[in-house]
């Protein structure tokens, strides 16, 4: 593991290093990353396949541009952005479309631009407590395989990824279930049906950090550039 920097700090440092101005947030969700990017002075475009997510992002970041669409067919011209970011979103792309999504991100980058991918690893305290509700082991592995295949095909190049830990403050089991439901409301019923199991897992994996009880999730960050023909 590397030094304790949060994900936003890591991404903002990279964007500053490459002199980025226009950033594409792929799988923007409700606009949390887009809001951070706008506050830092970047021009932000977000895309998400869910219309309700796009509507929420527009409300959260009125200065941004948000469109509904899939990562596998980005509705943007070639060389439109200085940077593209998948933040915890590549594993939500259907597995057969992951390669197309990555190639599309490279296509819309300007020369010298970077594709940043942050993916949760299928391990760690948060993952272990979540697993009975939604086991993402295979889909997370599939996302990593898609990146590895892109690099193996020399479509993209980049340094070895960095793995780091994200501590998520989590006061108790109720807070954990609420956090799952915020991502997908359908998870609440699944969690309630397994409350006893989740309670045992939460007690076994929770740790105490500077802000109180927390669950640790390892994340992996890739920095990729399009390989020269």
């Amino acid at each position: 593991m590397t030094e304790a920097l949060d994900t936003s700090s890591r991404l903002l440092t990279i964007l500053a290093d490459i002199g980025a101005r226009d950033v594409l947030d792929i799988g923007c969700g409700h606009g949390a990353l887009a809001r951070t990017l706008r506050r830092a002075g970047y021009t932000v475009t977000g895309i998400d396949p869910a219309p309700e997510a796009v509507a929420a992002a527009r409300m959260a970041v009125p200065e941004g541009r948000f469109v509904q669409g899939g990562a596998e067919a980005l509705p943007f011209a070639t060389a439109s952005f200085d940077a593209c970011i998948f933040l915890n979103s590549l594993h939500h792309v259907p597995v057969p479309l992951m390669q197309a999504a990555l190639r599309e991100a490279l296509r819309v980058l300007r020369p010298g631009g970077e594709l940043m991918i942050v993916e949760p690893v299928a391990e760690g305290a948060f993952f272990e407590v979540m697993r009975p509700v939604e086991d993402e082991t295979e889909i997370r592995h599939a996302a990593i395989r898609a990146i590895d295949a892109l690099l193996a095909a020399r479509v993209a190049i980049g340094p070895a990824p960095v793995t780091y830990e994200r501590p998520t403050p989590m006061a108790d089991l109720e807070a954990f279930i609420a956090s799952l439901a915020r991502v997908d409301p359908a998870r609440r019923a699944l969690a309630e049906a397994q409350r006893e199991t989740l309670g045992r897992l939460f007690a076994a994996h929770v740790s105490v950090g500077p802000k109180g009880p927390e669950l640790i999730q390892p994340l992996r960050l890739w920095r990729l550039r399009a390989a020269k023909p």
Side-chain angles (χ1 to χ4, degrees), residues 6-170:
D6 65 20
T7 298
S8 295
S9 296
R10 292 172 187 276
L11 295 176
L12 291 174
T13 296
I14 295 170
L15 292 171
D17 285 347
I18 66 175
R21 301 179 309 279
D22 301 313
V23 183
L24 176 62
D25 180 5
I26 305 174
C28 63
H30 291 188
L33 174 61
R35 182 168 52 246
T36 297
L37 294 173
R38 275 298 305 150
R39 287 175 177 170
Y42 293 98
T43 299
V44 182
T45 300
I47 184 167
D48 198 284
E52 64 275 14
V54 172
R58 287 172 177 160
M59 289 289 292
V61 193
E63 309 92 339
R65 175 172 61 132
F66 298 95
V67 298
Q68 182 184 348
E72 73 281 0
L74 297 175
F76 309 114
T78 298
S80 295
F81 301 96
D82 300 316
C84 296
I85 301 174
F86 283 94
L87 176 56
N88 297 332
S89 57
L90 180 59
H91 69 279
H92 291 295
V93 176
V95 175
L97 302 179
M98 286 180 178
Q99 276 286 310
L102 291 169
R103 290 171 183 259
E104 275 288 272
L106 292 172
R107 177 185 66 80
V108 301
L109 282 176
R110 296 186 178 117
E114 286 200 12
L115 166 59
M116 285 158 270
I117 308 165
V118 179
E119 277 291 306
V121 182
E123 59 186 54
F126 193 101
F127 176 75
E128 291 301 333
V129 184
M130 183 184 79
R131 194 199 292 256
V133 177
E134 185 171 359
D135 188 348
E136 292 187 337
T137 301
E138 178 51 36
I139 198 68
R140 293 185 185 188
H141 287 165
I144 293 174
R145 288 196 298 270
I147 298 168
D148 288 343
L150 195 76
L151 290 164
R154 302 294 294 176
V155 175
I157 57 174
V162 173
T163 302
Y164 61 99
E165 293 182 338
R166 178 189 67 200
T168 301
M170 204 64 65

